[in-house]
Amino acid sequence: MTDFFHEGDLVGVLTAQPLDRILDYKAPEGGCMLGAFVEVPLGPRKVLGVVWGAGKGDFDYAKVRHVIRVLDVAPMRSEMRQFLTRAAEYTLTPMSAMLRLATRAPGLGDAPSMRKVFRLGTGTPDRMTDARTKVLEVLRDYGGLSFTLGELAEMAGVTSSVIKGLVKHGAVSEEDAPRDTAYATLDPDYGGKELTADQAAGADVLKHAVASGTYGTTLLKGVTGSGKTEVYLEAVAECLRQGRQALVLLPEIALTSEFITRVEARFGFKPAEWHSGVTMTERRRCWRMVGQGAAGLVVGARSALFLPYRDLGLIVVDEEHDTSYKQEDGVLYNARDMAVLRAHINNAQVVLASATPSLESWANVDAGKYAKLELTSRFGAAVMPKMGAIDMRVEDLPGSRWVSPTLQAAIRARLEKGEQSLLFLNRRGYAPVTICRACGHQIACDHCDARMVEHRFLKRLMCHQCGETKPMPTVCPSCEAEDRLSPVGPGVERMAEEATALFPDARIAVLSSDHFGSARALKEHIAAITRGDADIIIGTQLVAKGHNFPLLTLVGVIDADLGLQGSDLRAAERTFQLMRQVAGRAGRAEAPGEALMQTFQPEHPVIRAILGGDEEAFWTAEAAERKAAGVPPYGRMAGIVLSSPNVQEVFDLGTEMARNDAPLRRIGAQVFGPAPAPIARIRGRHRVRLLVKADKGAPLQAALAAWAAQFKLPSTLRMAIDIDPQSFY
Ligand code: ADP
Ligand code: ZN
């Protein structure tokens, strides 16, 4: 296939519009490259697209319109086009939606924007002042470098009018320079640490893998604090030495700033960042520079997989078991799986790092598809915490209290020693349910089948499904009794209240995503806690994700049973991972830690596996159960959710789909449902769910596509197909 189209040649252009067809256009004046980002006319509009190949020519040539212009960005590479195509096939996503993911750069169509920069000029000022001297000194100190007005004013400690005065006399020259500048080149040999033998051996294996320039995936397993990050940074270093680009995916924006600091210490400069907490300007710069190869390392959220890398050599998925890697909105993809796909196409290496790998990755190691490296001990003096269960059946505790006497005593002991305790509860807000003591009514969201959660901090009730909030009523909406509404069950805010009552002199900090308006506020809060500005930390799952609190020596898990309930097939796995992660927060520095789990079922196999620390036993038992049930990772599943404001419509279509299942039966797959989804209504849309199960080797996607194509959807109805569903709501 040719890579260049001359003016007037027919080209096929994929647009991000929901058309699901590649449209023919004539190449513009000057021609265009295969993969070029272009602007094309579509009806009365101008839309963005990518030249996907030669045109089909099944349309009257005279009527075919011209590409309006080629955008000033590097053409999409063939690996990227392949990646989008295969990812679309795997997730049954329309190509237009895939392209939207790949073009989420602000101002993509704009000409490269310019900004004013200032450097030393040749003129002489009419008179010198102290301020003027300072400016000229700064510029001389930095040789030929140029600065923005703000930078220069700050460095010289003068106002911008001083600089403008110098410009007038030509002593400082003002020039236009492109706004998007290359990222500093990271130095792979800048600040490496001396590795332990264990770590060095692991780093060596990864370095060789990266240097081989071939595809491979390695599971890097090691308890929290064993140095996984140090080890994979060595793989990043090797990738940089090879002149290729590296990507590190993190599950949580709140973790990035700590990580960026480590990158800077290791490589001398900050990497490029890509996530929702980054400004538009910086995101545009990142997208463009990644495409030009002028960003060696990107640290980002899952969508960073869709950046236009020039030569991606390594993808690290940190905390690979984390559920936030599964995108549950819009395009339903799992970033971990897509990382493997992308690496395959790019001849790149993948490192999956975790203290508690997913059963999927564990099974892939078992099957010989992934390599495995294990770091067995924690770095330095830190050891794994002692784990114990508190049997809540025998604790003396009133119904509205959550911290058992045993846990209270443990906290008190920490307070006396000046150490930190963490109370972990995976429930945001004050209380999960608000109930009327007179009639039993529970306050629910008006748009969803979900109960409203009381947030005292915000002084409102909030729906955790749709985000709807309303003021806390004083009268029961059902029986109109006054002042009879009361909270049931614990949330982090209520825990904070209880802790304050129990330990009035302790400094108590709540760490929950609701309490921080911005990633920055959260970051500052975390830094303060790390320094020791709190005695008791009360947190949701946010704290389980890799923060390092050196003074923390006790973790109390308020309700270890929470995750074991429910119909989710991964409930046991999640609980196991979460408990181990949380326990990993305790005793990271020199002081040994202890983790205590409050449970009503201390004999439950998951609780016992956590206490016993016997991971292999847990994984083996869990794998055997999943194998027997034929569910992932030993079987394949797809969830289909139909939603509509009209309840009849969704059930009718669901029933019709279940009945006409020939394409699925042909591959031996089974359909379950339709059934109301666990949350049967979200934002006023009724939801019905079907579940498809197939053997591991079955061609599920093709069968699903053929099956779904049989039905005509009413315009009000939406169908979402989720391959390998993670959550069942
Ligand atoms: P993990 O990623 O497995 O949780 P980290 O790489 O974050 O572990 O290591 C935990 C802590 O120990 C970090 O502060 C890290 O800098 C430090 N550390 C790990 N290995 C070494 C080493 N070889 N030399 C010095 N410090 C180390
Ligand atoms: Zn709601």
Side-chain angles (χ1 to χ4, degrees):
M1 189 156 71
T2 164
D3 282 2
F4 185 79
F5 300 95
H6 296 276
E7 179 176 0
D9 286 354
L10 281 182
V11 293
V13 174
L14 174 68
T15 72
Q17 306 301 311
L19 297 165
D20 283 314
R21 245 167 342 113
I22 289 181
L23 303 172
D24 275 10
Y25 288 93
K26 287 175 192 151
E29 188 186 338
C32 61
M33 296 289 292
L34 179 62
F37 286 85
V38 292
E39 191 175 67
V40 293
L42 187 69
R45 290 184 304 155
K46 294 177 182 173
V47 302
L48 185 125
V50 170
V51 175
W52 213 256
K56 281 204 295 291
D58 51 4
F59 200 66
D60 178 5
Y61 181 84
K63 288 191 186 146
V64 173
R65 302 212 260 172
H66 270 91
V67 166
I68 299 168
R69 68 188 176 104
V70 177
L71 305 186
D72 189 22
V73 292
M76 187 183 278
R77 307 180 65 85
S78 94
E79 306 96 81
M80 185 68 180
R81 296 199 303 276
Q82 249 186 72
F83 172 56
L84 295 181
T85 308
R86 304 247 316 254
E89 283 163 9
Y90 188 85
T91 58
L92 290 173
T93 304
M95 278 309 289
S96 54
M98 261 2 267
L99 185 63
R100 267 200 297 284
L101 274 181
T103 50
R104 284 215 300 219
L108 195 56
D110 304 350
S113 96
M114 305 299 272
R115 61 176 179 175
K116 298 272 179 231
V117 293
F118 297 81
R119 68 170 82 237
L120 206 55
T122 48
T124 332
D126 52 348
R127 64 190 168 84
M128 286 304 288
T129 63
D130 283 356
R132 286 184 168 184
T133 310
K134 271 189 259 163
V135 172
L136 296 178
E137 268 171 17
V138 166
L139 289 174
R140 279 191 203 106
D141 282 353
Y142 283 88
L145 282 188
S146 59
F147 300 92
T148 62
L149 190 59
E151 283 166 353
L152 185 54
E154 192 185 320
M155 289 174 67
V158 302
T159 61
S160 51
S161 59
V162 176
I163 298 166
K164 288 192 180 136
L166 287 167
V167 170
K168 215 176 289 162
H169 297 104
V172 170
S173 80
E174 178 181 333
E175 297 161 11
D176 287 317
R179 186 177 292 278
D180 299 321
T181 50
Y183 289 85
T185 307
L186 304 187
D187 177 359
D189 304 309
Y190 180 80
K193 288 202 169 82
E194 181 101 29
L195 298 183
T196 65
D198 219 18
Q199 294 170 344
D204 245 26
V205 173
L206 293 181
K207 278 197 285 199
H208 275 106
V210 170
S212 75
T214 58
Y215 160 76
T217 296
T218 307
L219 177 64
L220 176 60
K221 181 175 175 309
V223 294
T224 317
S226 58
K228 295 184 295 298
T229 311
E230 298 297 339
V231 170
Y232 74 63
L233 285 178
E234 292 314 304
V236 171
E238 182 60 29
C239 183
L240 296 171
R241 278 185 207 110
Q242 302 286 327
R244 303 184 76 188
Q245 292 166 296
L247 164 65
V248 175
L249 294 177
L250 301 176
E252 177 78 47
I253 304 178
L255 291 175
T256 43
S257 69
E258 197 180 319
F259 185 74
I260 300 278
T261 310
R262 284 182 76 167
V263 168
E264 203 177 356
R266 175 64 186 80
F267 299 116
F269 295 98
K270 291 193 172 76
E273 267 185 84
W274 179 269
H275 53 75
S276 58
V278 172
T279 62
M280 298 281 251
T281 319
E282 198 53 27
R283 279 217 263 179
R284 184 190 60 190
R285 173 183 177 211
C286 180
W287 198 93
R288 288 180 180 242
M289 291 304 121
V290 164
Q292 294 174 20
L297 171 62
V298 178
V299 174
R302 58 187 175 221
S303 58
L305 274 175
F306 294 90
L307 290 172
Y309 299 92
R310 209 164 110 126
D311 185 12
L312 186 60
L314 171 69
I315 307 174
V316 177
V317 184
D318 201 356
E319 312 278 351
E320 66 93 30
H321 61 277
D322 199 287
T323 51
S324 67
Y325 282 124
K326 179 66 190 272
Q327 163 98 8
E328 311 248 66
D329 234 4
V331 180
L332 308 174
Y333 67 94
N334 187 322
R336 182 185 61 221
D337 302 341
M338 291 303 123
V340 170
L341 173 62
R342 176 125 212 208
H344 227 295
I345 294 171
N346 279 61
N347 289 323
Q349 290 286 318
V350 178
V351 175
L352 305 175
S354 175
T356 53
S358 61
L359 191 55
E360 275 81 1
S361 297
W362 194 83
N364 277 325
V365 169
D366 225 28
K369 287 191 199 158
Y370 296 175
K372 179 177 166 191
L373 284 174
E374 190 151 4
L375 300 176
T376 41
S377 57
R378 285 184 149 190
F379 176 74
V383 285
M384 267 313 267
K386 221 166 72 200
M387 308 249 221
I390 296 174
D391 186 346
M392 295 300 277
R393 294 169 304 191
V394 301
E395 290 282 324
D396 180 19
L397 195 65
S400 57
R401 296 269 169 190
W402 311 95
V403 184
S404 65
T406 306
L407 186 53
Q408 289 175 29
I411 297 171
R412 199 158 292 121
R414 294 320 188 284
L415 288 174
E416 278 159 16
K417 284 195 278 182
E419 294 171 2
Q420 288 177 326
S421 305
L422 165 70
L423 297 181
F424 174 79
L425 178 68
N426 209 6
R427 270 189 177 161
R428 294 151 56 202
Y430 183 80
V433 179
T434 301
I435 195 167
C436 171
R437 293 274 178 222
C439 73
H441 176 77
Q442 300 184 353
I443 299 188
C445 175
D446 295 337
H447 315 284
C448 308
D449 275 358
R451 294 189 196 91
M452 299 286 271
V453 177
E454 181 182 351
H455 284 247
R456 285 225 168 150
F457 184 74
L458 305 168
K459 299 191 178 60
R460 294 178 84 80
L461 291 169
M462 184 195 278
C463 169
H464 284 184
Q465 283 313 316
C466 71
E468 173 81 9
T469 70
K470 55 184 170 196
M472 186 73 201
T474 51
V475 171
C476 171
S478 175
C479 75
E480 301 186 349
E482 249 177 79
D483 293 327
R484 298 298 300 276
L485 292 169
S486 68
V488 177
V492 280
E493 293 174 10
R494 199 167 185 195
M495 287 302 316
E497 201 174 274
E498 186 172 334
T500 309
L502 287 169
F503 308 104
D505 297 330
R507 295 163 304 162
I508 293 172
V510 177
L511 209 48
S512 164
S513 52
D514 301 314
H515 291 231
F516 302 95
S518 65
R520 195 190 146 115
L522 177 60
K523 177 181 132 187
E524 278 162 15
H525 195 66
I526 289 173
I529 294 175
T530 309
R531 287 195 303 268
D533 283 7
D535 304 310
I536 301 176
I537 307 155
I538 295 175
T540 58
Q541 107 176 339
L542 199 60
V543 297
K545 297 187 179 179
H547 298 296
N548 194 349
F549 302 124
L551 297 173
L552 180 70
T553 59
L554 171 71
V555 172
V557 180
I558 296 301
D559 190 351
D561 304 328
L562 259 184
L564 297 175
Q565 297 140 7
S567 53
D568 184 347
L569 77 98
R570 293 183 178 84
E573 177 183 348
R574 296 251 168 84
T575 307
F576 183 79
Q577 289 163 341
L578 199 57
M579 293 299 132
R580 286 192 68 100
Q581 295 275 338
V582 173
R585 296 299 121 227
R588 291 198 37 139
E590 285 67 38
E594 183 175 19
L596 294 171
M597 298 187 295
Q598 301 194 141
T599 172
F600 283 92
Q601 24 184 345
E603 62 292 319
H604 192 289
V606 174
I607 303 283
R608 295 179 63 135
I610 298 169
L611 292 178
D614 189 351
E615 280 178 285
E616 292 292 325
F618 174 78
W619 293 121
T620 310
E622 180 70 12
E625 271 188 34
R626 300 244 195 121
K627 238 180 232 165
V631 296
Y634 303 101
R636 305 199 59 195
M637 267 182 160
I640 291 94
V641 171
L642 307 174
S643 69
S644 162
N646 179 340
V647 66
Q648 192 59 42
E649 201 171 86
V650 279
F651 272 100
D652 286 352
L653 182 70
T655 311
E656 195 190 337
M657 288 179 74
R659 253 190 233 128
N660 298 293
D661 64 346
L664 294 173
R665 262 186 289 122
R666 235 169 272 143
I667 63 156
Q670 278 177 288
V671 189
F672 300 88
I679 298 169
R681 200 165 54 114
I682 294 185
R683 293 188 188 94
R685 298 180 70 87
H686 296 272
R687 307 171 77 241
V688 155
R689 194 161 217 283
L690 295 116
L691 208 58
V692 175
K693 254 177 77 177
D695 283 349
K696 180 126 181 104
L700 183 59
Q701 279 87 346
L704 284 170
W707 177 51
Q710 303 176 105
F711 312 102
K712 190 164 166 12
L713 308 192
S715 61
T716 44
L717 190 144
R718 279 204 292 263
M719 180 194 302
I721 300 183
D722 187 359
I723 304 287
D724 316 324
Q726 283 279 332
S727 69
F728 293 77
Y729 66 89

